[in-house]
mmCIF file of all heavy atoms in Angstrom:
data_model
loop_
_atom_site.group_PDB
_atom_site.id
_atom_site.type_symbol
_atom_site.label_atom_id
_atom_site.label_comp_id
_atom_site.label_asym_id
_atom_site.label_seq_id
_atom_site.Cartn_x
_atom_site.Cartn_y
_atom_site.Cartn_z
ATOM 1 N N PHE A 261 96.141 145.562 90.967
ATOM 2 C CA PHE A 261 97.141 144.641 90.415
ATOM 3 C C PHE A 261 96.483 143.706 89.415
ATOM 4 O O PHE A 261 95.244 143.633 89.345
ATOM 5 C CB PHE A 261 97.816 143.834 91.528
ATOM 6 C CG PHE A 261 96.842 143.284 92.555
ATOM 7 C CD1 PHE A 261 95.995 142.232 92.228
ATOM 8 C CD2 PHE A 261 96.769 143.831 93.838
ATOM 9 C CE1 PHE A 261 95.107 141.731 93.163
ATOM 10 C CE2 PHE A 261 95.876 143.328 94.773
ATOM 11 C CZ PHE A 261 95.042 142.279 94.434
ATOM 12 N N ALA A 262 97.323 142.999 88.661
ATOM 13 C CA ALA A 262 96.783 142.000 87.736
ATOM 14 C C ALA A 262 96.717 140.663 88.453
ATOM 15 O O ALA A 262 97.599 140.336 89.254
ATOM 16 C CB ALA A 262 97.684 141.900 86.516
ATOM 17 N N LEU A 263 95.675 139.904 88.177
ATOM 18 C CA LEU A 263 95.563 138.588 88.806
ATOM 19 C C LEU A 263 96.654 137.658 88.285
ATOM 20 O O LEU A 263 97.056 137.748 87.127
ATOM 21 C CB LEU A 263 94.191 137.987 88.505
ATOM 22 C CG LEU A 263 92.993 138.725 89.090
ATOM 23 C CD1 LEU A 263 91.692 138.150 88.523
ATOM 24 C CD2 LEU A 263 93.004 138.642 90.605
ATOM 25 N N THR A 264 97.112 136.757 89.156
ATOM 26 C CA THR A 264 98.078 135.754 88.698
ATOM 27 C C THR A 264 97.312 134.676 87.931
ATOM 28 O O THR A 264 96.090 134.531 88.107
ATOM 29 C CB THR A 264 98.789 135.087 89.884
ATOM 30 O OG1 THR A 264 97.806 134.362 90.647
ATOM 31 C CG2 THR A 264 99.458 136.113 90.792
ATOM 32 N N GLN A 267 95.361 132.545 90.302
ATOM 33 C CA GLN A 267 94.126 133.172 90.790
ATOM 34 C C GLN A 267 93.033 133.082 89.736
ATOM 35 O O GLN A 267 91.884 132.768 90.033
ATOM 36 C CB GLN A 267 94.387 134.642 91.160
ATOM 37 C CG GLN A 267 95.142 134.803 92.480
ATOM 38 C CD GLN A 267 95.563 136.242 92.735
ATOM 39 O OE1 GLN A 267 96.009 136.934 91.809
ATOM 40 N NE2 GLN A 267 95.451 136.697 93.972
ATOM 41 N N GLY A 290 96.272 127.731 99.316
ATOM 42 C CA GLY A 290 97.331 128.573 98.777
ATOM 43 C C GLY A 290 98.222 129.049 99.894
ATOM 44 O O GLY A 290 97.748 129.409 100.971
ATOM 45 N N ASP A 291 99.493 129.037 99.618
ATOM 46 C CA ASP A 291 100.496 129.438 100.584
ATOM 47 C C ASP A 291 100.181 130.845 101.125
ATOM 48 O O ASP A 291 99.436 131.587 100.498
ATOM 49 C CB ASP A 291 101.849 129.454 99.856
ATOM 50 C CG ASP A 291 102.970 129.129 100.807
ATOM 51 O OD1 ASP A 291 102.762 129.212 102.023
ATOM 52 O OD2 ASP A 291 104.069 128.787 100.318
ATOM 53 N N VAL A 292 100.761 131.174 102.280
ATOM 54 C CA VAL A 292 100.570 132.531 102.791
ATOM 55 C C VAL A 292 100.999 133.540 101.744
ATOM 56 O O VAL A 292 102.025 133.375 101.100
ATOM 57 C CB VAL A 292 101.403 132.805 104.074
ATOM 58 C CG1 VAL A 292 100.621 132.415 105.287
ATOM 59 C CG2 VAL A 292 102.732 132.098 104.015
ATOM 60 N N GLY A 293 100.203 134.561 101.562
ATOM 61 C CA GLY A 293 100.556 135.623 100.629
ATOM 62 C C GLY A 293 100.254 135.308 99.180
ATOM 63 O O GLY A 293 100.600 136.065 98.281
ATOM 64 N N SER A 294 99.619 134.175 98.921
ATOM 65 C CA SER A 294 99.365 133.815 97.529
ATOM 66 C C SER A 294 98.146 134.567 96.977
ATOM 67 O O SER A 294 97.863 134.503 95.791
ATOM 68 C CB SER A 294 99.185 132.302 97.390
ATOM 69 O OG SER A 294 98.112 131.867 98.174
ATOM 70 N N GLY A 295 97.420 135.260 97.820
ATOM 71 C CA GLY A 295 96.320 136.091 97.336
ATOM 72 C C GLY A 295 94.976 135.388 97.276
ATOM 73 O O GLY A 295 94.245 135.488 96.289
ATOM 74 N N LYS A 296 94.611 134.718 98.361
ATOM 75 C CA LYS A 296 93.342 134.003 98.381
ATOM 76 C C LYS A 296 92.151 134.953 98.556
ATOM 77 O O LYS A 296 91.067 134.695 98.055
ATOM 78 C CB LYS A 296 93.338 132.983 99.538
ATOM 79 C CG LYS A 296 94.348 131.867 99.349
ATOM 80 C CD LYS A 296 94.280 130.838 100.453
ATOM 81 C CE LYS A 296 94.787 131.342 101.788
ATOM 82 N NZ LYS A 296 96.224 131.673 101.826
ATOM 83 N N THR A 297 92.391 136.058 99.281
ATOM 84 C CA THR A 297 91.269 136.936 99.624
ATOM 85 C C THR A 297 90.539 137.446 98.386
ATOM 86 O O THR A 297 89.310 137.442 98.330
ATOM 87 C CB THR A 297 91.769 138.132 100.452
ATOM 88 O OG1 THR A 297 92.676 137.639 101.439
ATOM 89 C CG2 THR A 297 90.631 138.839 101.128
ATOM 90 N N VAL A 298 91.306 137.870 97.394
ATOM 91 C CA VAL A 298 90.665 138.440 96.214
ATOM 92 C C VAL A 298 89.904 137.364 95.430
ATOM 93 O O VAL A 298 88.853 137.625 94.852
ATOM 94 C CB VAL A 298 91.699 139.214 95.350
ATOM 95 C CG1 VAL A 298 92.736 138.289 94.783
ATOM 96 C CG2 VAL A 298 91.007 139.990 94.254
ATOM 97 N N PRO A 442 101.954 136.275 93.667
ATOM 98 C CA PRO A 442 101.875 137.499 92.885
ATOM 99 C C PRO A 442 103.273 137.930 92.425
ATOM 100 O O PRO A 442 104.240 137.763 93.170
ATOM 101 C CB PRO A 442 101.306 138.508 93.881
ATOM 102 C CG PRO A 442 100.517 137.701 94.832
ATOM 103 C CD PRO A 442 101.234 136.397 94.948
ATOM 104 N N VAL A 443 103.339 138.479 91.220
ATOM 105 C CA VAL A 443 104.647 138.890 90.700
ATOM 106 C C VAL A 443 105.175 140.075 91.493
ATOM 107 O O VAL A 443 104.424 140.807 92.132
ATOM 108 C CB VAL A 443 104.579 139.298 89.203
ATOM 109 C CG1 VAL A 443 104.453 138.069 88.342
ATOM 110 C CG2 VAL A 443 103.442 140.272 88.962
ATOM 111 N N ARG A 445 107.050 139.862 94.026
ATOM 112 C CA ARG A 445 107.471 139.471 95.360
ATOM 113 C C ARG A 445 108.946 139.133 95.320
ATOM 114 O O ARG A 445 109.409 138.449 94.422
ATOM 115 C CB ARG A 445 106.697 138.228 95.824
ATOM 116 C CG ARG A 445 105.246 138.455 96.038
ATOM 117 C CD ARG A 445 104.996 139.095 97.410
ATOM 118 N NE ARG A 445 103.662 139.679 97.458
ATOM 119 C CZ ARG A 445 102.558 138.970 97.684
ATOM 120 N NH1 ARG A 445 102.646 137.684 97.881
ATOM 121 N NH2 ARG A 445 101.395 139.554 97.697
ATOM 122 N N ASP A 547 97.740 140.875 107.650
ATOM 123 C CA ASP A 547 98.396 141.387 106.448
ATOM 124 C C ASP A 547 98.833 142.838 106.648
ATOM 125 O O ASP A 547 98.018 143.745 106.678
ATOM 126 C CB ASP A 547 97.405 141.286 105.275
ATOM 127 C CG ASP A 547 98.076 141.625 103.948
ATOM 128 O OD1 ASP A 547 99.307 141.451 103.843
ATOM 129 O OD2 ASP A 547 97.364 142.070 103.033
ATOM 130 N N PRO A 549 101.401 144.867 104.623
ATOM 131 C CA PRO A 549 102.329 144.770 103.501
ATOM 132 C C PRO A 549 103.650 145.514 103.723
ATOM 133 O O PRO A 549 104.663 145.135 103.158
ATOM 134 C CB PRO A 549 101.554 145.401 102.339
ATOM 135 C CG PRO A 549 100.124 145.296 102.725
ATOM 136 C CD PRO A 549 100.088 145.379 104.204
ATOM 137 N N ARG A 576 105.575 140.879 101.560
ATOM 138 C CA ARG A 576 104.314 141.090 100.848
ATOM 139 C C ARG A 576 104.335 142.382 100.047
ATOM 140 O O ARG A 576 103.534 142.564 99.157
ATOM 141 C CB ARG A 576 103.169 141.140 101.837
ATOM 142 C CG ARG A 576 103.041 139.837 102.552
ATOM 143 C CD ARG A 576 101.825 139.809 103.414
ATOM 144 N NE ARG A 576 101.461 138.414 103.589
ATOM 145 C CZ ARG A 576 100.234 137.975 103.733
ATOM 146 N NH1 ARG A 576 99.236 138.817 103.738
ATOM 147 N NH2 ARG A 576 99.998 136.698 103.867
HETATM 148 P P1 LIG B 701 96.619 135.025 101.585
HETATM 149 O O1 LIG B 701 96.558 134.014 100.509
HETATM 150 O O2 LIG B 701 97.736 134.777 102.536
HETATM 151 O O3 LIG B 701 95.296 135.224 102.278
HETATM 152 P P2 LIG B 701 96.138 137.692 100.751
HETATM 153 O O4 LIG B 701 94.894 137.471 100.017
HETATM 154 O O5 LIG B 701 96.070 138.320 102.091
HETATM 155 O O6 LIG B 701 96.978 136.376 100.840
HETATM 156 O O7 LIG B 701 97.106 138.537 99.812
HETATM 157 C C1 LIG B 701 98.370 138.932 100.250
HETATM 158 C C2 LIG B 701 98.730 140.276 99.660
HETATM 159 O O8 LIG B 701 98.951 140.160 98.258
HETATM 160 C C3 LIG B 701 97.640 141.298 99.827
HETATM 161 O O9 LIG B 701 98.245 142.512 100.205
HETATM 162 C C4 LIG B 701 97.012 141.380 98.450
HETATM 163 O O10 LIG B 701 96.461 142.644 98.192
HETATM 164 C C5 LIG B 701 98.164 141.099 97.535
HETATM 165 N N1 LIG B 701 97.815 140.485 96.259
HETATM 166 C C6 LIG B 701 96.857 139.556 96.052
HETATM 167 N N2 LIG B 701 96.831 139.185 94.750
HETATM 168 C C7 LIG B 701 97.807 139.892 94.130
HETATM 169 C C8 LIG B 701 98.276 139.950 92.774
HETATM 170 N N3 LIG B 701 97.751 139.205 91.810
HETATM 171 N N4 LIG B 701 99.302 140.799 92.507
HETATM 172 C C9 LIG B 701 99.836 141.561 93.476
HETATM 173 N N5 LIG B 701 99.437 141.551 94.768
HETATM 174 C C10 LIG B 701 98.436 140.723 95.101
#
Side-chain angles (χ1 to χ4, degrees):
F261 45 72
L263 295 171
T264 64
Q267 285 172 319
D291 210 343
V292 271
S294 60
K296 294 183 290 295
T297 316
V298 65
V443 285
R445 293 279 163 81
D547 188 26
R576 297 187 156 212

